[in-house]
Amino acid sequence: MSITPLHVSLPEGNIHIAVYGSQNKIPVILLHGTASYHYCWRNVAAHLAQSYRVYCPDMLGAGFSDKPIDVPYSKRAQALRLISAIESLGCGPVHLAGHSLGGEVATHIALEAPHLIQSLMLIAPDGFRQGVIPPVRWAARKGWMNGMFRRAMRSQMKPKTLSRILALPLDRITPDFMENWTMPYTHPNTPDIIAKSLADDDTGVISDHVPQITLPSLLVYGTKDRMIPKRVFAKYQAHLPNVRTEIYEGYGHVLMEQCPERLSEAIDSFVKENL
């Protein structure tokens, strides 16, 4: 499956987008989560590209997008940038899916620009909770954590660590897989961006506004998710007015790696229902 790279120029930096599928097909956008980038969606995107034009953007500070350290990295700020990117592409309204942090960003987009969205798909989304605790946010804003992250980045991640984080068998962590998944950590600005993301954290600010979203919505999560508290998913399910929930028994947080075919089929089916 060929991938076309696009770059959308915004005032704060260039957004890189990996594009799959033909130009004239229905647009689907897939948003990555924390410490990730478009690579995490490769299997799902390749499957969906048979029927759709699939856009996988790297949020500012991630993947192949620019990594400025003097801009806000709140989820709302990321959402506003992606709204500008969607408008620049001229491909809306789109079917929008987001994983983890990307799910919370997608929710911000649905609140800010519902006219650009045809359906909303939240894959193990964050939100509906307190994010970074105040002392950590305060320390990050003072710049006291940048050096700590810079020292941590010098230590190369081990395959066993990535296997544990992604809940994948160790034999799936090939050298190529390892290199691709850890690529975002290699940029010299990454430690500062991690610290800035903690300083600008606004997790949960959407909580009171989610009931305003009337878009057809799909919520997907695994019963063995160790990254996001189950109460977060329960609150999305309770507060999204037009939501359908699919629970994956025995699966964890990174569903696009653990069961890409099943997730692809769920997204494909939901998009077809909402054309």
Side-chain angles (χ1 to χ4, degrees):
M1 172 63 64
S2 62
I3 306 173
T4 303
L6 290 180
H7 286 88
V8 175
S9 181
L10 300 177
E12 295 169 316
N14 291 328
I15 298 291
H16 174 274
I17 305 175
V19 185
Y20 298 71
S22 302
Q23 180 80 44
N24 59 347
K25 292 181 178 179
I26 294 160
V28 174
I29 292 181
L30 307 176
L31 302 182
H32 63 82
T34 302
S36 187
Y37 66 115
H38 71 267
Y39 177 77
C40 71
W41 284 110
R42 68 201 179 284
N43 295 319
V44 172
H47 179 92
L48 294 176
Q50 299 172 47
S51 304
Y52 308 105
R53 176 79 159 173
V54 184
Y55 299 87
C56 300
D58 295 337
M59 295 187 213
L60 200 71
F64 295 111
S65 290
D66 285 349
K67 297 174 177 62
I69 60 176
D70 56 350
V71 302
Y73 280 99
S74 67
K75 295 168 183 66
R76 184 172 185 271
Q78 295 285 27
L80 294 176
R81 294 178 189 118
L82 290 167
I83 288 169
S84 295
I86 295 169
E87 290 173 337
S88 296
L89 291 170
C91 62
V94 304
H95 299 270
L96 178 64
H99 172 250
S100 195
L101 172 146
E104 191 170 4
V105 171
T107 305
H108 275 279
I109 295 172
L111 286 165
E112 296 279 350
H115 61 285
L116 292 178
I117 312 302
Q118 193 157 336
S119 70
L120 178 66
M121 292 159 282
L122 305 178
I123 317 303
D126 204 353
F128 276 107
R129 62 167 176 160
Q130 181 187 31
V132 177
I133 60 174
V136 173
R137 189 183 299 114
W138 181 79
R141 287 175 178 170
K142 290 288 187 181
W144 294 349
M145 306 186 76
N146 300 48
M148 179 183 70
F149 289 126
R150 196 167 289 109
R151 288 189 295 274
M153 292 298 107
R154 295 194 194 108
S155 301
Q156 189 172 10
M157 184 181 287
K158 303 294 191 295
K160 285 185 178 179
T161 304
L162 188 60
S163 170
R164 185 172 64 252
I165 291 171
L166 300 180
L168 291 174
L170 188 57
D171 61 8
R172 288 273 307 275
I173 314 299
T174 64
D176 182 66
F177 182 93
M178 189 81 188
E179 180 181 357
N180 280 292
W181 253 99
T182 58
M183 189 280 297
Y185 294 103
T186 61
H187 193 279
N189 284 1
T190 296
D192 300 290
I193 291 169
I194 294 172
K196 191 71 164 59
S197 298
L198 295 178
D200 296 342
D201 181 69
D202 60 348
T203 300
V205 299
I206 55 169
S207 300
D208 293 336
H209 306 290
V210 167
Q212 300 170 18
I213 299 173
T214 58
L215 294 163
S217 303
L218 175 67
L219 172 66
V220 180
Y221 65 91
T223 58
K224 291 189 175 181
D225 195 315
R226 300 290 183 264
M227 299 290 187
I228 308 293
K230 298 294 190 299
R231 68 178 184 276
V232 171
F233 307 143
K235 288 190 175 182
Y236 273 108
Q237 188 170 353
H239 292 281
L240 268 172
N242 192 14
V243 67
R244 187 176 83 203
T245 302
E246 293 189 13
I247 302 172
Y248 288 13
E249 186 68 38
Y251 287 98
H253 186 61
V254 192
L255 297 174
M256 65 280 286
E257 289 289 359
Q258 295 167 5
C259 52
E261 290 184 3
R262 182 175 178 181
L263 183 59
S264 300
E265 290 167 2
I267 293 173
D268 183 23
S269 176
F270 192 73
V271 170
K272 283 185 168 66
E273 289 175 16
N274 293 285
L275 293 177

